[in-house]
Amino acid sequence: GAGVSQTPSNKVTEKGKYVELRCDPISGHTALYWYRQSLGQGPEFLIYFQGTGAADDSGLPNDRFFAVRPEGSVSTLKIQRTERGDSAVYLCASSPAGGPGIQYFGAGTRLSVL
Amino acid sequence: QKEVEQNSGPLSVPEGAIASLNCTYSDRGSQSFFWYRQYSGKSPELIMFIYSNGDKEDGRFTAQLNKASQYVSLLIRDSQPSDSATYLCAVSFSGTYKYIFGTGTRLKVLA
């Protein structure tokens, strides 16, 4: 596709459930980022992939959060035992290799934990 | 704790005026600086990036970087109502590809 695609656009779940959020980056972009954005705040870094490996996962808030990118393209952010405090917009961004670090953002997934 | 700070605003300017948005950062080794614009309910989109001290101009936008004082600013000339949005400053810290965003400054351009 032409841009970063995130699915679903909205996800409503109940406290304690498991959710998966998907990101399909721009073709050929080797770097992929996940962020979380709460209302009135800037995007909060979660994890960064370079290819298939997680180069920096220091932003994951706890071990309920996990992300994979098995083939170096699509990535899935997985949240176990969701809590109401996990409610936010989850943004994915991709960036080409060797470039100045410009990130291209997807439209985000709005997660609501009831 | 690596930090990026912005005044949350709102910053209100009349149409046609210059809007000045500021950002300070804590890591003296930071190398890359980005300004993104985010309309309400939308995702961030890149406005400008800057790496070297001084000014960088692109159309109505000018980014200014002062590494000694650890601030980066964005000037918007001839502000238009369509410029009304939240402007996010992002900084990559030394030795990492991790980007830290500020909380953003909400700009209102009054017609």
Side-chain angles (χ1 to χ4, degrees):
Chain A
V4 178
S5 175
Q6 290 189 248
T7 54
S9 55
N10 282 283
K11 177 69 177 179
V12 180
T13 191
E14 293 179 344
K15 181 175 177 292
K17 298 291 188 183
Y18 169 83
V19 296
E20 289 189 352
L21 311 180
R22 176 187 167 108
C23 173
D24 197 343
I26 293 172
S27 178
H29 281 195
T30 57
L32 185 146
Y33 296 79
W34 283 101
Y35 295 89
R36 178 169 69 176
Q37 188 173 27
S38 300
L39 194 62
Q41 301 296 314
E44 174 194 4
F45 171 84
L46 296 178
I47 187 169
Y48 155 64
F49 288 90
Q50 183 62 255
T52 59
D56 187 334
D57 64 358
S58 61
L60 294 177
N62 51 59
D63 61 6
R64 295 186 298 105
F65 288 75
F66 190 70
V68 296
R69 194 186 186 198
E71 297 178 355
S73 179
V74 171
S75 176
T76 304
L77 178 66
K78 308 179 181 197
I79 310 174
Q80 298 178 320
R81 304 183 303 280
T82 52
E83 299 178 357
R84 293 196 178 88
D86 298 335
S87 297
V89 175
Y90 289 80
L91 293 166
C92 175
S94 70
S95 185
I102 297 170
Q103 297 178 68
Y104 298 86
F105 283 84
T109 293
R110 181 175 298 278
L111 176 65
S112 300
V113 182
L114 304 180
Chain B
Q1 178 79 4
K2 294 184 170 65
E3 294 182 346
V4 176
E5 298 199 1
Q6 298 181 253
N7 187 320
S8 61
L11 172 66
S12 295
V13 300
E15 183 175 358
I18 295 175
S20 178
L21 306 162
N22 299 310
C23 171
T24 60
Y25 57 95
S26 62
D27 185 356
R28 195 168 280 280
S30 296
Q31 297 175 340
S32 305
F33 307 85
F34 301 82
W35 283 100
Y36 287 84
R37 177 175 62 198
Q38 187 173 29
Y39 292 111
S40 181
K42 302 295 185 183
S43 57
E45 56 179 329
L46 182 76
I47 298 294
M48 294 199 65
F49 63 91
I50 187 167
Y51 302 138
S52 304
N53 274 329
D55 294 2
K56 179 181 179 184
E57 187 174 319
D58 183 1
R60 295 187 297 114
F61 299 96
T62 298
Q64 298 176 318
L65 176 60
N66 184 323
K67 289 188 177 181
S69 299
Q70 295 174 241
Y71 82 77
V72 56
S73 61
L74 179 70
L75 301 179
I76 306 174
R77 288 181 298 282
D78 188 24
S79 295
Q80 302 296 308
S82 58
D83 295 327
S84 298
T86 295
Y87 289 80
L88 298 162
C89 172
V91 177
S92 76
F93 287 88
S94 53
T96 78
Y97 288 96
K98 177 176 173 178
Y99 295 86
I100 305 298
F101 282 77
T103 56
T105 298
R106 191 155 61 97
L107 173 67
K108 287 186 173 181
V109 180
L110 307 173

